[in-house]
Amino acid sequence: YVVALYGEPDVRIRREVVRYLAAGLEFGVENVLMRALGDVAQVADVAQDAIRSMPADKTTAFLKNALEHKEPSVRRNAVDLLGFMDNEEAAKLVLAVYERDIEADEVRQATRYALRNLKAFLPIAEIIENVASEDKHTRAKSLRLLGVIGEIQALEHLREALSDSDVYIRGTAVMALGELGEPSVIKELKTLEEDPANQRILHLIRHTLKKLDAES
């Protein structure tokens, strides 16, 4: 009966349903708890508190399942919770979501914040090593990650990639610098903007310049 009440349109009722069910976490309750994770803030906050109170291994297993939920809001809040778990398993799960070919913008944005929080558990040495890979897609992946996690050596590698012979790599570096939010590269980006060889990535350069100008 209580589970059925979660279908009520009244936010107050849904919140109290989640609060009541979370106290027991009996069989069948986790499905409601997962749906509640993507509900409005008043309900999602109660669900998050319940998830945090689980034993660590159960929390991780629950959030791993939540990352596959059909609702982007559920996946987003699962990523947010993983971002504060401070362990390698959480970092791996968030990284896997970040690397999905297709994902909702709100979820992808959440992964960026979470990866910065979890960078102590990421394979930084491997990411930096892959910047020199002969495979351009592997290089691009590493450059994007450096822009997201803000590793101390990121700026050096991204600056170097701006002069790469491959326009795809240059474009990736431009986007990563936008993620990094480093205004010191504005002059270099304006030089790229004036080069006819960068016509294909001109929209990326201008978007990044606008973003960095706004943040500086």
Side-chain angles (χ1 to χ4, degrees):
Y1 175 75
V2 176
V3 169
L5 279 175
Y6 184 73
E8 287 290 322
D10 192 320
V11 170
R12 294 169 299 175
I13 292 177
R14 297 203 306 276
R15 182 185 61 206
E16 291 309 313
V17 166
V18 174
R19 196 190 309 277
Y20 177 85
L21 294 175
L25 288 179
E26 297 174 357
F27 179 77
V29 171
E30 288 193 0
N31 181 48
V32 175
L33 195 59
M34 194 170 295
R35 290 167 58 199
L37 185 59
D39 208 325
V40 296
Q42 301 98 305
V43 180
D45 287 348
V46 178
Q48 289 172 1
D49 287 343
I51 294 164
R52 290 189 194 99
S53 69
M54 295 176 180
D57 57 339
K58 190 171 183 179
T59 297
T60 301
F62 180 92
L63 293 175
K64 183 177 181 179
N65 288 332
L67 294 176
E68 305 303 324
H69 198 275
K70 65 179 181 178
E71 292 296 333
S73 56
V74 173
R75 301 196 302 274
R76 179 198 65 215
N77 286 336
V79 168
D80 284 341
L81 286 173
L82 286 166
F84 292 98
M85 286 189 66
D86 290 337
N87 62 60
E88 188 174 350
E89 180 64 19
K92 286 180 179 178
L93 290 172
V94 175
L95 185 57
V97 175
Y98 173 78
E99 292 176 347
R100 288 174 179 170
D101 292 332
I102 300 174
E103 185 51 273
D105 287 343
E106 63 182 286
V107 181
R108 201 173 295 281
Q109 185 62 35
T111 63
R112 295 184 182 111
Y113 290 117
L115 287 174
R116 286 177 182 172
N117 286 340
L118 295 166
K119 70 177 182 179
F121 303 98
L122 294 172
I124 301 296
E126 180 183 338
I127 292 169
I128 292 175
E129 182 181 344
N130 284 339
V131 169
S133 170
E134 293 183 1
D135 179 74
K136 74 175 184 179
H137 297 291
T138 300
R139 292 173 64 197
K141 174 181 169 181
S142 293
L143 290 170
R144 286 195 299 268
L145 276 171
L146 287 177
V148 168
I149 62 181
E151 171 57 26
I152 193 168
Q153 299 177 56
L155 185 57
E156 171 191 344
H157 290 293
L158 293 174
R159 265 200 164 110
E160 185 177 340
L162 288 177
S163 58
D164 195 273
S165 60
D166 191 318
V167 68
Y168 174 69
I169 295 297
R170 296 199 300 276
T172 301
V174 169
M175 288 189 295
L177 284 165
E179 288 292 341
L180 194 62
E182 180 50 63
S184 67
V185 298
I186 288 178
K187 183 178 179 180
E188 292 160 82
L189 291 176
K190 287 183 176 179
T191 300
L192 286 181
E193 183 183 21
E194 296 168 0
D195 189 341
N198 293 315
Q199 189 64 34
R200 283 174 53 194
I201 60 170
L202 192 57
H203 64 293
L204 295 176
I205 297 170
R206 288 176 175 169
H207 175 75
T208 300
L209 279 170
K210 184 177 180 180
K211 181 178 180 181
L212 293 179
D213 280 333
E215 293 176 354
S216 61

